[in-house]
Amino acid sequence: MRINKYIAACGVASRRKADELVAQGRVAVNGSVVTELGTEVSDGDKVAVDGKIIALQSAELYFMLNKPQGCVTTASDDRDRQTVLDIFSVWYKNTNKTSNVPRVFPVGRLDYNTQGLLILTTDGDLANLLMHPKNHIEKTYIAKVRPHLTSEDIARLEGGVVIDNEKTLPATVKVLKTVGNKQNVQITICQGRNRQVRKMFEAVGKVVEKLERTRVGALELGNLPRGQIRPLTEKEITYLKNANSK
Ligand code: URA
């Protein structure tokens, strides 16, 4: 497909404006700037405008779920527990009045007892890329822990603690609220290791009573009610597609 047609199909600009973008050297294909108006792009080419990868407005679907506690993130469960895909399926059928439910993949995993922001998408390639360990997308959690964190605990959590024989990357930690011997603590990490937040608090002698993910990169859980799903906005989808190229 000719590059101006491709840029237009991505919803970035009209074909005429796309020609201007190319002529101005603002368009790159697979990392190299192209200025030839007749440039052809094919499947698999990565086209960027002003450094941001653009994508065809495809049939891929992207959602945010506020995962409740008491369900698993895997596609099926040997103990027959409710899965996030069960929740998606019910929601999709009701919302779209159809029994044809698209196959979605969760981006990352939240434990059975962790609640909060989980991305679901039909775009399996993007899901895999976002979950790749090289991707240091920040994730913010609110943990209810006991007993209180000391300033040394906070310094250790922020500097990295050893879990499963490997030190965690730097994190930020902020105590939000203290009630009795418990605290609500906001922690931002940039890895997605197995049960990472629980293990980090365990490493400094704390018990996590409740855990909620409130943010993944630029995506915020906001006031999406527990157990509810909403489609991501175009802005959020663009963010995710570009989060991978950083
Ligand atoms: N860290 C945890 O311990 N659990 C989660 O579900 C996510 C991050």
Side-chain angles (χ1 to χ4, degrees):
M1 185 190 301
R2 214 179 141 101
I3 191 135
N4 63 352
K5 190 170 172 193
Y6 182 85
I7 294 172
C10 292
V12 173
S14 65
R15 284 199 209 179
R16 197 182 51 78
K17 188 87 205 327
D19 280 337
E20 285 173 27
L21 293 173
V22 173
Q24 288 161 0
R26 293 167 62 187
V27 178
V29 178
N30 301 324
S32 307
V33 170
V34 293
T35 49
E36 189 57 56
L37 297 186
T39 303
E40 292 281 326
V41 290
S42 30
D43 277 358
D45 281 342
K46 292 244 179 294
V47 178
V49 174
D50 293 334
K52 286 206 184 303
I53 291 177
I54 59 172
L56 286 173
Q57 290 175 338
S58 65
E60 301 290 11
L61 302 169
Y62 304 85
F63 304 93
M64 179 189 293
L65 162 69
N66 183 348
K67 177 193 174 295
Q69 289 183 336
C71 68
V72 290
T73 309
T74 45
S76 65
D77 185 51
D78 48 11
R79 287 153 63 187
D80 225 18
R81 294 175 295 184
Q82 187 186 40
T83 74
V84 293
L85 301 187
D86 294 333
I87 298 177
F88 176 76
S89 177
V90 170
W91 174 83
Y92 193 89
K93 283 179 187 162
N94 285 340
T95 309
N96 297 284
K97 307 281 173 256
T98 173
S99 55
N100 246 341
V101 179
R103 178 157 176 250
V104 290
F105 307 90
V107 177
R109 186 180 289 198
L110 292 178
D111 302 333
Y112 183 72
N113 277 327
T114 302
Q115 58 194 48
L117 197 170
L118 185 71
I119 297 161
L120 300 171
T121 177
T122 54
D123 190 343
D125 290 341
L126 183 69
N128 283 329
L129 289 168
L130 290 170
M131 286 186 287
H132 194 280
K134 80 168 167 39
N135 250 314
H136 291 159
I137 297 177
E138 286 189 345
K139 297 154 200 99
T140 300
Y141 297 83
I142 309 242
K144 186 188 246 187
V145 305
R146 70 177 150 78
H148 295 176
L149 290 172
T150 61
S151 44
E152 290 86 67
D153 293 332
I154 295 177
R156 284 186 62 204
L157 288 169
E158 291 195 325
V161 286
V162 175
I163 61 170
D164 301 328
N165 302 316
E166 203 184 308
K167 199 170 168 184
T168 55
L169 290 177
T172 53
V173 174
K174 188 175 166 198
V175 175
L176 300 178
K177 192 168 137 191
T178 300
V179 180
N181 70 338
K182 299 179 188 178
Q183 284 180 321
N184 281 356
V185 181
Q186 178 180 287
I187 179 164
T188 300
I189 60 174
C190 61
Q191 295 169 285
R193 293 171 56 187
N194 180 36
R195 297 176 69 81
Q196 179 163 345
V197 174
R198 291 175 197 274
K199 286 178 183 169
M200 286 174 75
F201 281 109
E202 211 171 279
V204 295
K206 310 297 171 233
V207 175
V208 173
E209 291 194 348
K210 196 169 168 192
L211 189 59
E212 176 179 43
R213 181 156 70 188
T214 56
R215 184 171 73 86
V216 174
L219 273 59
E220 301 262 4
L221 183 61
N223 52 14
L224 183 65
R226 186 100 50 240
Q228 289 298 303
I229 295 172
R230 69 162 174 86
L232 294 188
T233 63
E234 280 303 322
K235 202 169 161 201
E236 289 170 328
I237 296 168
T238 305
Y239 162 77
L240 287 181
K241 288 182 175 166
N242 285 291
N244 180 52
S245 60
K246 290 210 180 94

